[in-house]
Amino acid sequence: MGMSSSIAPRLSILWSFARPHRRTLAKGLALALVASALGLATPMVTKHVLDALGSASSLTRPVATLVVLLFVGAGVSYWQWILLGALGERVVLDARESVVRRFLRATVPALTRSPTGELVTRVTSDTVLLRQAAASSLVGLINGAVMLVGSLVLMGFLDLVLLATTVAAVALVGLAFAFLMPGIAKSQQQAQEHVGRLGGVLEGTLRAIRTVKVNRAEERMTERILADARASAAFGVGAVRRESLAWTIAWSGVNLAIIAILAVGAWRVGEGRLEVSGLIAFLLYTFALMDPINELSQNVTALQSGIAAAERIRQADALPSEESAPSPGRPELPELHALKELKELTELEKLEELRDDVPVLELRNVTAAYGPDAEPAVRGVDLVIPRRGHTAVVGPSGAGKTTLFSLVLRFLEPTGGELLLDGRPYRDHAHADIRARLAYVEQDTPVVPGTLRDNLLLARPQATTEELLRVLDDVRLTEKVEGLEEGLDAPLATANVSGGERQRIALARALLATPDVLLLDEATAQLDGLTEAAVQECVRSRAETGAVVTIAHRLSTVVDADTIVVMEAGRVRARGRHEELLVSDTLYRDLVESLRISAVTGAPVT
């Protein structure tokens, strides 16, 4: 009872992948049953051929019947294989599409809890295991069971004594499979889990290949990766051993049944209780029993692998997703109704005047943590970002600067307080609507798979080539593009662009989006002095028409900011201009001194 209750929910997970294709499955099952029926009829027709030989009757009809059964059965089987094979591919495609969409719509903290390579295996190898289980295995199990029962029923028509001998052998085979299959399933599941871990470690190692090589850790990392490969192989071998034992028992059981049938059948023929043609037909059914037994065992094995894969794939459904529902549109600002009474202003003038009065972004007493049991990363943060100007956020490592950006970008939801966009709470906006107003340059600035053009067009797919070339010139990348054989259509990879070039590509992409708020996470950390000066000019120019918020680990990038926000231990400690904070805040003075930045000019001391 416990076994059946535990397998039922696992089968329901697998069935969830096959359910959308149930009509095709039913058609495949019908074809399989027709093919099986034609196969089951063959021994009986063979008996008629032998009877015709004994009575000197015409062989034309029974032989013609055998030929028709052969060709019709081949045609039906061919159709069934194509139908189920195509269905398997559609199931895999649907599963991959579902998982990829779920991954890309999931919250950032949920995705970053697992190694990237492990997530990739859900889309690649797990979905392959799902193919046979969700398509042909379900049909194969039913068809195999029908063939087995059908063969035994027809055997009963031929001779009940021989049937009893056969049933005893089949029962022994069934007990062996029932005993061995749970172990096979567990071994296969553990093997696939280690494949997932292998993918995670390998992906992380390849991402950090320079660090691995410079520390001469190639062999150590190889051993760490191969430990999971060896564990997977060990569990796989364990599954193979159990499968081999099950097959050996099945084969031996059927062969013992054949020997017993020959002995008992010969005795019954001698007694005159069974015709020779009946014995031959019975033996043909016995030989044919290997087909349904083979089909049942193979499909049970594939089903168990598929169930394990389906469970891993469905784990993606547990990832919390960002809300994707469209917002009801940007409503009027809270103060707009008061201005409607002013007849001397047009509606447009009123809106523009209000937009200037209301901050583009505001954080009110915001607290946030990266998990329900985690300590808050920021506490009670109040921050106002005006529509124009440059706001810089500084502080020691762990002060909460990156968490602040995660909140603004809505990668992370606050546990207390609220964020506002245009004076309207974040909860009233869709994620996409918020991000449409923002542009973000990451500190690590990874390149997105594709060409230089693909990377630039992420935020504005409709941008023209002229616009692309303009922003590339703004960040001093024109010479780089002219040096590429394929220009804007050159494929990008981390290996063929430097860290500084990646930063400038990311900044060009952000500038192309013309956002209301430009968020920069130390966007000049890897730039030389001349390029940094050009980028700083871009930032100053942008700050004249919109909001720029900079996280700075090098204070040289923010000494001319309109407002500098000093953070410590997740709180806002102080705010003001560079000269004011040098006088009023000891932590800011220490940060300036530690980075050897001149308190007067903001230039690095050499």
Side-chain angles (χ1 to χ4, degrees):
M1 184 69 180
M3 183 74 175
S4 62
S5 62
S6 64
I7 196 69
R10 301 182 73 207
L11 275 173
S12 69
I13 294 174
L14 181 62
W15 175 242
S16 68
F17 289 96
R19 188 186 299 114
H21 310 282
R22 54 187 178 274
R23 289 186 179 178
T24 306
L25 276 172
K27 191 182 295 184
L29 177 59
L31 291 172
L33 293 175
V34 169
S36 298
L38 294 171
L40 290 173
T42 300
M44 282 296 186
V45 177
T46 304
K47 181 180 183 300
H48 291 313
V49 171
L50 295 174
D51 288 339
L53 282 173
S55 62
S57 301
S58 172
L59 295 175
T60 304
R61 179 173 293 180
V63 170
T65 304
L66 281 177
V67 173
V68 169
L69 289 174
L70 171 64
F71 283 101
V72 173
V76 170
S77 297
Y78 176 71
W79 188 8
Q80 177 211 347
W81 290 332
I82 291 178
L83 191 75
L84 293 181
L87 172 60
E89 293 300 330
R90 284 197 294 273
V91 167
V92 169
L93 177 60
D94 289 350
R96 284 174 174 165
E97 182 176 342
S98 170
V99 175
V100 169
R101 289 185 186 281
R102 192 73 186 192
F103 282 166
L104 295 187
R105 290 174 179 171
T107 62
V108 172
L111 282 177
T112 52
R113 289 189 194 109
S114 300
T116 306
E118 186 172 344
L119 297 177
V120 170
T121 61
R122 307 277 174 91
V123 183
T124 53
S125 59
D126 282 344
T127 51
V128 172
L129 291 176
L130 186 68
R131 177 192 288 119
Q132 185 178 354
S136 54
S137 287
L138 294 172
V139 170
L141 279 174
I142 298 172
N143 185 51
V146 170
M147 280 188 67
L148 183 62
V149 172
S151 297
L152 293 174
V153 168
L154 292 172
M155 286 175 164
F157 280 113
L158 292 171
D159 192 273
L160 290 173
V161 175
L162 294 181
L163 174 64
T165 307
T166 307
V167 168
V170 170
L172 289 174
V173 171
L175 287 172
F177 273 103
F179 177 73
L180 294 169
M181 280 302 163
I184 295 173
K186 186 176 181 181
S187 295
Q188 288 172 333
Q189 184 172 5
Q190 290 172 321
Q192 193 61 19
E193 285 175 358
H194 280 282
V195 169
R197 293 179 196 171
L198 183 154
V201 179
L202 178 59
E203 186 272 340
T205 302
L206 293 177
R207 190 183 293 274
I209 190 64
R210 291 176 177 82
T211 301
V212 171
K213 285 184 175 294
V214 81
N215 288 283
R216 307 176 309 285
E218 294 96 331
E219 285 303 315
R220 280 172 283 159
M221 292 310 301
T222 299
E223 285 303 309
R224 183 176 167 188
I225 293 165
L226 292 183
D228 281 309
R230 293 186 186 110
S232 178
F235 284 116
V237 168
V240 167
R241 285 175 176 164
R242 288 183 175 90
E243 287 179 31
S244 300
L245 180 58
W247 273 106
T248 301
I249 292 171
W251 183 258
S252 301
V254 172
N255 278 289
L256 282 172
I258 291 170
I259 293 170
I261 288 164
L262 279 172
V264 175
W267 170 69
R268 290 181 66 75
V269 169
E271 293 288 318
R273 298 178 182 177
L274 180 66
E275 297 174 347
V276 173
S277 62
L279 176 59
I280 293 173
F282 199 98
L283 285 170
L284 288 175
Y285 278 120
T286 308
F287 292 130
L289 274 182
M290 282 306 295
D291 287 336
I293 291 175
N294 178 14
E295 190 169 8
L296 286 169
S297 59
Q298 281 186 339
N299 286 304
V300 165
T301 302
L303 197 67
Q304 291 181 318
S305 298
I307 287 173
E311 289 174 333
R312 284 170 53 83
I313 292 169
R314 280 294 182 228
Q315 286 173 6
D317 289 343
L319 293 173
S321 286
E322 296 178 342
E323 294 297 328
S324 57
S327 69
R330 190 182 303 170
E332 296 173 339
L333 298 174
E335 299 87 350
L336 188 57
H337 67 279
L339 288 181
K340 282 184 176 178
E341 298 176 359
L342 301 177
K343 305 298 183 182
E344 67 274 12
L345 294 178
T346 66
E347 291 297 323
L348 181 60
E349 287 171 335
K350 286 187 285 183
L351 183 59
E352 289 301 323
E353 189 171 302
L354 276 174
R355 283 173 61 85
D356 287 340
D357 291 341
V358 177
V360 64
L361 278 175
E362 187 176 358
L363 283 76
R364 295 179 180 173
N365 195 30
V366 170
T367 298
Y370 286 94
D373 301 321
E375 285 292 314
V378 295
R379 299 172 184 265
V381 172
D382 291 301
L383 185 62
V384 173
I385 307 297
R387 293 191 175 277
R388 281 179 286 278
H390 182 190
T391 303
V393 182
V394 300
S397 178
K401 303 184 297 294
T402 300
T403 302
L404 197 67
F405 268 27
S406 294
L407 286 162
V408 169
L409 290 159
R410 212 171 180 183
F411 296 154
L412 185 66
E413 296 289 342
T415 55
E418 66 177 359
L419 290 88
L420 298 96
L421 178 65
D422 284 342
R424 206 179 132 209
Y426 260 36
R427 62 179 175 272
D428 295 339
H429 295 271
H431 287 72
D433 292 341
I434 292 171
R435 292 168 191 163
R437 309 278 301 281
L438 312 174
Y440 173 46
V441 179
E442 299 179 61
Q443 183 180 357
D444 295 333
T445 55
V447 294
V448 178
T451 64
L452 174 56
R453 187 189 301 273
D454 294 332
N455 272 263
L456 293 173
L457 292 178
L458 272 181
R460 273 189 65 203
Q462 74 279 12
T464 64
T465 299
E466 290 71 23
E467 290 174 312
L468 298 184
L469 294 175
R470 176 177 54 77
V471 293
L472 288 171
D473 184 60
D474 289 342
V475 297
R476 302 296 189 269
L477 272 177
T478 303
E479 188 176 339
K480 170 71 176 180
V481 177
E482 291 173 348
L484 296 172
E485 186 176 341
E486 298 172 73
L488 288 170
D489 296 312
L492 286 188
T494 303
N496 61 16
V497 286
S498 68
E501 287 167 346
R502 290 201 307 274
Q503 280 193 319
R504 282 181 282 163
I505 289 169
L507 182 58
R509 177 171 58 232
L511 293 173
L512 185 67
T514 59
D516 291 344
V517 184
L518 176 60
L519 303 167
L520 305 175
D521 191 348
E522 191 51 88
T524 61
Q526 302 183 57
L527 304 182
D528 59 72
L530 289 175
T531 309
E532 180 180 356
V535 169
Q536 291 289 9
E537 181 56 37
C538 290
V539 171
R540 280 191 289 270
S541 175
R542 184 66 208 151
E544 292 175 1
T545 58
V548 177
V549 185
T550 305
I551 287 179
H553 307 107
R554 284 169 35 174
L555 296 184
S556 61
T557 64
V558 295
V559 290
D560 61 346
D562 300 302
T563 304
I564 298 173
V565 177
V566 183
M567 295 192 68
E568 182 185 28
R571 299 181 184 274
V572 174
R573 171 189 172 100
R575 68 191 81 206
R577 293 186 64 86
H578 176 64
E579 296 80 5
E580 298 167 354
L581 290 171
L582 281 174
V583 175
S584 63
D585 192 76
T586 55
L587 175 61
Y588 186 78
R589 279 202 304 274
D590 291 343
L591 288 169
V592 170
E593 180 60 31
S594 67
L595 294 168
R596 297 191 300 173
I597 298 173
S598 168
V600 178
T601 65
V605 177
T606 57

